[in-house]
Amino acid sequence: MPPAHSPWRGLGGWNVYFLIKFALLWGGYLNFHALANLVFLAWLLLPIRSQGLHQLRNWLSIPIGIGLFWHDTWLPGPESIMSQGSQLTAFSRVYLLDLANRFINWQMVGTAFVILVLYLFIAQWVRVTVLVSLLLLGINVVNIAGPSFALLPGKEAEPVATLHTAQQPTAARSGLDQSAAPTSANLTAYLNKFYESQKQQITHFPDALPAGAAPFDILVINICSLAWSDLDATQLRYHPLWQHFDILLTDYNSATGYSGPAGIRLLRASCGQSAHSDLYKPADQRCYLFDNLAKLGFKQQLMMDHTGVFGNYLQELREEGNLHVPLMSQAGIKPELTSFDSSPVLNDGAVMQRWLDDRQKSAEPRSATFYNLIPLHDGTRELGSSSSAAWQPRAKQLFDQLDTFLTNLDESGRRVMVIVVPEHGAALEGDKLQMSGLRDIPSPAITHVPVGIKFVGMQTPHGGQPLNVTTPTSLQALSELVSRVVDGQVFTAANVNLSTLTDHLPQTPVVSENDNAVVMMYQGKPWIRLNGGDWVAYPQ
């Protein structure tokens, strides 16, 4: 008589699948979903009497296994890929090949090959399926402690950026408590309280300028792909440019890893930090920084060193940032680089000089200019080249141009408040969650950016080293600083105390968000949530 039950066949080649996952998990490269993997293992082990049906199950399991593997990685989810799909088609073929080459980690490929060979050798004497099943069961038992339990060996995650260690006092001053254990529920509750508290924050501008207000210009230079981590990776932290500023915000969080949201957040800097989804909803009119300045007589201006077409960037500035002004003419300015989408990137030295020439000729006493520039973006190429240019030479050239421009401003006699504020970092080095150049996850290494403020044309220029503001700040601190100087007295006063000017700037706990990823500092450590799932410690 045939057996009353179907035979147990073991996992076979699927053992290699799970062994590779265990190796990646051990190295901290997976956002491992223990229960989902256990269910998949049970599905593969479920005894089926028919050999044909057993083979059919294996074939059907291949797409399931691929999907689960992707789900276990930190790679962008389907929603993010779909939302970025139209932009991917705009990438040049050369840039797509560059990204594909970076995506392949040859060390991991070699490790997978070693695991395969070891499995084939050991499986001659050992029932590997038993070991794999017991190990996966053990991981599930350990994981019962909660989604924030560290599955990785060794110490817990350390903060990515050491300058964020003062986060607990900042949260306390913001009325937010970080004393609760970092469980997924507590972290979600904290995030909700953060956004609720930010809704109460607003920068108050005067209804009108006083009679003796001194006219001046405000120039906001919004640089794509520049973070402290990039400066450290290329030994540019001590470039002379950074000594040219009066004030440096050294612990500034850009709150996002992408250009469009960064531009919207900056243009809405007069209100507290909003959730990513709220960026594409109407905002309180008091939130729009450049509108607040326009009401005080500052003529709005917009300039770029690119077309603004990619990702509908220019359209988003106008629709979501309420910056409805023409783009400054780019006629006659020669390209300096070629962007990742094969569009021209203009010479920024020439763009800035045109702005200065136009202001020298203009009868408008006050202006507020938003200037976006992208020569540091990933995949940018030298003219006529088919390969990406190294970031360090591009950055040095841009810093030299900015430094020269500030010197020219000093010599021009104009009064200008220059604010250099990056959108986000370049992710030059990458980490265990995403490869270099990828910013789908707004890690502290990407959002911790250098911000410099220079008051050109002061009656008594600030001498010596820049004043470093080391408290955790974000976008509203810039709006608050602008509101404190709109009367222009900083330029005409016999003595300006920068410490007093920067005292009690709004401090913002570190929360950064893209479409499907949230990263925040809690109890001095970074935590991440993907696609609305559980929070986990940011792997180091």
Side-chain angles (χ1 to χ4, degrees):
M1 291 181 63
H5 58 82
S6 299
W8 294 87
R9 292 187 173 89
L11 292 172
W14 287 104
N15 280 304
V16 178
Y17 171 88
F18 286 105
L19 288 172
I20 290 174
K21 277 193 174 183
F22 294 155
L24 291 172
L25 175 62
W26 183 263
Y29 292 97
L30 288 186
N31 181 26
F32 194 69
H33 298 81
L35 182 58
N37 279 272
L38 185 62
V39 171
F40 185 51
L41 180 140
W43 155 255
L44 294 171
L45 284 178
L46 184 68
I48 297 178
R49 179 176 302 178
S50 168
Q51 180 65 24
L53 290 177
H54 174 72
Q55 293 298 331
L56 178 61
R57 176 177 61 184
N58 279 333
W59 283 108
L60 292 175
S61 297
I62 291 175
I64 299 174
I66 293 173
L68 181 57
F69 208 124
W70 190 285
H71 183 55
D72 279 338
T73 69
W74 301 100
L75 294 171
E79 303 90 347
S80 179
I81 294 175
M82 292 295 291
S83 66
Q84 303 291 331
S86 60
Q87 297 186 17
L88 289 174
T89 59
F91 289 178
S92 68
R93 183 181 304 173
V94 172
Y95 185 45
L96 286 173
L97 289 174
D98 182 27
L99 291 175
N101 183 58
R102 272 187 265 167
F103 183 79
I104 301 173
N105 186 317
W106 292 107
Q107 288 184 329
M108 289 186 179
V109 172
T111 301
F113 177 71
V114 170
I115 290 175
L116 173 62
V117 172
L118 287 177
Y119 164 72
L120 294 174
F121 180 73
I122 296 173
Q124 299 178 84
W125 303 285
V126 179
R127 292 184 62 86
V128 181
T129 296
V130 176
L131 297 178
V132 167
S133 301
L134 290 175
L135 185 54
L136 188 52
L137 279 170
I139 291 174
N140 272 267
V141 170
V142 169
N143 203 49
I144 293 175
S148 63
F149 189 92
L151 289 174
L152 308 182
K155 60 184 180 181
E156 296 180 20
E158 297 292 339
V160 173
T162 57
L163 286 174
H164 291 307
T165 54
Q167 184 58 45
Q168 176 63 26
T170 304
R173 283 189 290 271
S174 303
L176 299 174
D177 180 20
Q178 291 193 351
S179 62
T183 64
S184 197
N186 288 340
L187 291 167
T188 298
Y190 174 83
L191 179 66
N192 293 335
K193 290 178 182 177
F194 166 79
Y195 282 130
E196 284 300 317
S197 68
Q198 288 296 298
K199 290 178 181 179
Q200 313 305 318
Q201 303 296 319
I202 190 164
T203 303
H204 296 284
F205 282 80
D207 295 330
L209 294 178
F216 69 99
D217 300 312
I218 298 174
L219 176 59
V220 177
I221 302 177
N222 193 214
I223 303 175
C224 177
S225 303
L226 173 62
W228 285 114
S229 61
D230 304 318
L231 295 177
D232 290 336
T234 55
Q235 290 78 51
L236 287 174
R237 179 183 278 260
Y238 301 105
H239 187 281
L241 170 66
W242 306 112
Q243 301 303 311
H244 215 136
F245 294 104
D246 298 313
I247 301 168
L248 283 176
L249 305 183
T250 60
D251 200 7
Y252 181 95
N253 182 47
S254 69
T256 184
Y258 281 117
S259 298
I264 298 170
R265 288 188 183 280
L266 184 52
L267 292 173
R268 295 184 178 187
S270 294
C271 288
Q273 184 174 323
S274 64
H276 177 85
S277 58
D278 290 340
L279 296 178
Y280 301 92
K281 300 176 183 177
D284 188 317
Q285 286 300 310
R286 296 173 296 176
C287 296
Y288 298 103
L289 173 60
F290 277 65
D291 280 2
N292 291 328
L293 292 170
K295 293 173 183 176
L296 297 175
F298 288 82
K299 178 186 177 182
Q300 295 185 2
Q301 296 187 140
L302 172 63
M303 67 178 185
M304 300 178 182
D305 65 359
H306 57 104
T307 63
V309 173
F310 181 79
N312 297 318
Y313 178 77
L314 181 56
Q315 180 181 340
E316 287 193 356
L317 291 187
R318 288 174 171 156
E319 293 182 358
E320 313 301 343
N322 216 30
L323 193 59
H324 298 285
V325 293
L327 182 63
M328 187 187 79
S329 173
Q330 300 176 339
I333 300 179
K334 295 181 179 180
E336 184 174 55
L337 298 162
T338 301
S339 184
F340 57 91
D341 63 347
S342 297
S343 63
V345 180
L346 305 181
N347 182 296
D348 283 288
V351 174
M352 289 184 284
Q353 187 60 45
R354 173 166 293 183
W355 177 88
L356 178 55
D357 292 342
D358 287 350
R359 290 306 301 147
Q360 293 288 58
K361 300 173 185 176
S362 175
E364 295 282 348
R366 296 174 177 86
S367 70
T369 304
F370 183 91
Y371 172 33
N372 183 257
L373 52 163
I374 64 167
L376 305 186
H377 194 288
D378 192 52
T380 299
R381 313 190 301 273
E382 299 287 349
L383 293 177
S385 174
S386 61
S387 59
S388 297
W391 189 91
Q392 199 270 0
R394 284 183 282 143
K396 185 179 183 304
Q397 181 174 5
L398 176 61
F399 295 171
D400 289 344
Q401 291 171 335
L402 287 168
D403 203 38
T404 299
F405 173 67
L406 291 177
T407 299
N408 291 341
L409 278 183
D410 284 328
E411 297 172 352
S412 72
R414 294 202 65 82
R415 297 169 180 159
V416 186
M417 179 185 187
V418 180
I419 303 174
V420 173
V421 50
E423 297 176 348
H424 51 70
L428 288 182
E429 295 193 316
D431 57 27
K432 290 183 177 180
L433 273 65
Q434 53 192 354
M435 66 184 186
S436 64
L438 191 64
R439 292 170 278 104
D440 200 68
I441 297 172
S443 69
I446 292 172
T447 63
H448 184 215
V449 301
V451 173
I453 297 98
K454 173 72 175 178
F455 297 104
V456 180
M458 296 174 72
Q459 180 175 326
T460 307
H462 172 70
Q465 296 293 314
L467 173 67
N468 290 333
V469 178
T470 59
T471 52
T473 53
S474 193
L475 297 124
Q476 198 187 5
L478 297 179
S479 176
E480 177 64 25
L481 194 56
V482 169
S483 74
R484 295 179 183 183
V485 301
V486 288
D487 61 4
Q489 298 306 306
V490 69
F491 296 97
T492 59
N495 183 45
V496 176
N497 188 325
L498 294 181
S499 296
T500 301
L501 181 63
T502 58
D503 194 28
H504 296 105
L505 287 176
Q507 296 187 32
T508 307
V510 176
V511 175
S512 303
E513 186 175 4
N514 285 346
D515 191 19
N516 296 302
V518 184
V519 178
M520 68 181 183
M521 299 296 295
Y522 189 86
Q523 296 181 354
K525 298 177 182 179
W527 296 82
I528 177 173
R529 183 180 72 181
L530 292 180
N531 302 309
D534 288 329
W535 291 90
V536 295
Y538 200 101
Q540 303 303 295

